[in-house]
Amino acid sequence: MAINAVLFDFSGTLFRLEQQDGWLDDVRDDDGEVLDVEAQTELMRRMTAPVEQSVELDEEHLYAWHNRDRDPELHRKVYLEVLRLSGVPRRDQAEALYAQLVAPDQWTPYPDTEAALKAVASSGRKAGVLSNIAFDIRPAFGQRGWDAHVAEFTLSFEVGAVKPEPEIFQNAIERLGVRAEETLMVGDSEEADGGARALGCRFALVDPLPTAQRPDALLGVLREHGVL
């Protein structure tokens, strides 16, 4: 069956949170030492990991972790704890870093994001964004004019379901007005995004590499699946 709609994940697929100059310059660990490059890299990984739990959490914060993308307050609570346990003991610094995490204008698009969204929309197909996320990412698209190419945004904290639960995929498909069999899901997580296959969607995996290292993976996927 021909593909008539493409659903794109957000983090690690269309955009990536990448460290900007100055973000971690003054962050110090429990010993008062500035974080070295390795520690900074690991901290960024923990802030953006789509599925895996990167630190040991108590029962209260473990509940928040499992429900973080359904509730903005739980998201904030658990990520501040993750930062604390990852070597950012000062609350003010953790809050400053968290503010960067949830600021759409701090996220960097992949080089072919605009072209991929435009290609889907201009072909007469529908493009949607489906994300496990606890904040509104529409401004990241709107400030660039790319929202014109996106038919629907399905965000977990707004619909009360998270990938790989079938409900969130069903919600996205219904919003686009298509059948699962004619929908391609593109994402960076086999576990989360790959859940679309349970409904009959096709699935394409992309590697959440730094944006400079992944110039055209989205366009490549669209070609492979006959969208381009």
Side-chain angles (χ1 to χ4, degrees):
M1 182 175 292
I3 291 174
N4 288 316
V6 182
L7 285 169
F8 294 97
D9 171 50
F10 176 69
S11 176
T13 302
L14 294 178
F15 285 72
R16 190 173 188 271
L17 185 66
E18 299 187 326
Q19 183 180 340
Q20 305 295 324
D21 290 342
W23 275 16
L24 301 174
D25 288 355
D26 298 322
V27 176
R28 297 179 181 273
D29 61 20
D30 292 303
D31 298 322
E33 298 294 329
V34 175
L35 301 181
D36 60 25
V37 173
E38 183 177 346
Q40 291 186 17
T41 300
E42 176 61 16
L43 188 59
M44 291 300 297
R45 187 192 68 78
R46 293 183 181 189
M47 289 173 68
T48 57
V51 176
E52 70 174 281
Q53 179 188 332
S54 55
V55 296
E56 285 293 325
L57 298 169
D58 60 26
E59 184 175 349
E60 176 185 356
H61 289 95
L62 190 60
Y63 173 83
W65 174 262
H66 290 311
N67 292 279
R68 67 195 186 282
D69 290 325
R70 304 177 197 268
D71 184 330
E73 286 303 315
L74 292 178
H75 189 275
R76 182 176 187 277
K77 176 179 182 176
V78 75
Y79 272 100
L80 289 178
E81 179 69 359
V82 168
L83 287 169
R84 184 183 72 82
L85 295 174
S86 299
V88 186
R90 284 179 47 186
R91 181 79 174 192
D92 61 325
Q93 292 187 333
E95 289 180 344
L97 286 172
Y98 180 77
Q100 305 298 338
L101 170 64
V102 299
D105 61 350
Q106 296 298 316
W107 289 69
T108 303
Y110 280 92
D112 58 343
T113 291
E114 179 181 16
L117 293 173
K118 187 179 294 186
V120 174
S122 63
S123 72
R125 298 174 175 87
K126 294 182 178 179
V129 175
L130 171 57
S131 179
N132 281 357
I133 204 146
F135 57 94
D136 189 3
I137 56 176
R138 294 177 183 88
F141 297 81
Q143 68 187 13
R144 297 173 171 86
W146 298 352
D147 54 333
H149 310 309
V150 180
E152 293 288 344
F153 289 88
T154 304
L155 310 182
S156 61
F157 82 100
E158 293 180 340
V159 303
V162 297
K163 297 176 289 186
E165 295 170 1
E167 292 83 2
I168 193 169
F169 296 110
Q170 189 63 44
N171 185 296
I173 292 166
E174 290 177 356
R175 286 168 181 250
L176 292 176
V178 296
R179 290 181 292 176
E181 294 78 10
E182 56 184 335
T183 304
L184 171 66
M185 176 75 214
V186 182
D188 69 309
S189 171
E190 180 75 34
E191 179 180 347
D193 303 308
R197 288 180 295 208
L199 278 73
C201 299
R202 302 185 210 180
F203 171 62
L205 184 69
V206 292
D207 194 334
L209 293 167
T211 55
Q213 297 176 27
R214 211 195 75 190
D216 57 2
L218 296 172
L219 293 175
V221 160
L222 296 180
R223 292 190 189 95
E224 289 172 14
H225 289 266
V227 177
L228 294 183

